[in-house]
Amino acid sequence: MNKRILVISSLLTLGFFGANAHAVDVHATFNELDQDSNGTLSEAEAGEDAVLHENFSQIDTNQDGQLSLDEFKKFIQ
């Protein structure tokens, strides 16, 4: 139920505040997944999201085994 509320809130925010809210949402999502707060997502951290996990090697464009915020943003857009 909490996930449903979060998704609905995110959709309302995006609808009311447009592109700037989307940018904030991308940062918030990345930071939430970055459990060790080191500024990158490991494959284990990305594994919390099925889509990220399935596409990890394609998203990791520099093939360093970590997803940077820039790589994450490019994938989301």
Side-chain angles (χ1 to χ4, degrees):
M1 188 160 160
N2 289 344
K3 288 183 182 180
R4 181 179 289 170
I5 292 169
L6 180 62
V7 170
I8 291 170
S9 296
S10 295
L11 292 174
L12 288 173
T13 300
L14 290 172
F16 287 115
F17 298 109
N20 287 336
H22 178 69
V24 170
D25 191 51
V26 170
H27 285 275
T29 301
F30 183 87
N31 289 335
E32 185 176 322
L33 291 169
D34 184 14
Q35 296 171 357
D36 62 5
S37 301
N38 69 346
T40 62
L41 300 180
S42 66
E43 192 164 359
E45 290 170 324
E48 294 296 315
D49 181 279
V51 174
L52 286 179
H53 180 71
E54 290 175 18
N55 296 287
F56 189 87
S57 62
Q58 288 122 2
I59 302 167
D60 183 17
T61 56
N62 66 359
Q63 300 299 303
D64 67 352
Q66 303 286 319
L67 299 183
S68 67
L69 179 58
D70 287 338
E71 289 170 325
F72 183 76
K73 283 181 184 179
K74 288 177 186 173
F75 176 71
I76 297 298
Q77 294 171 350

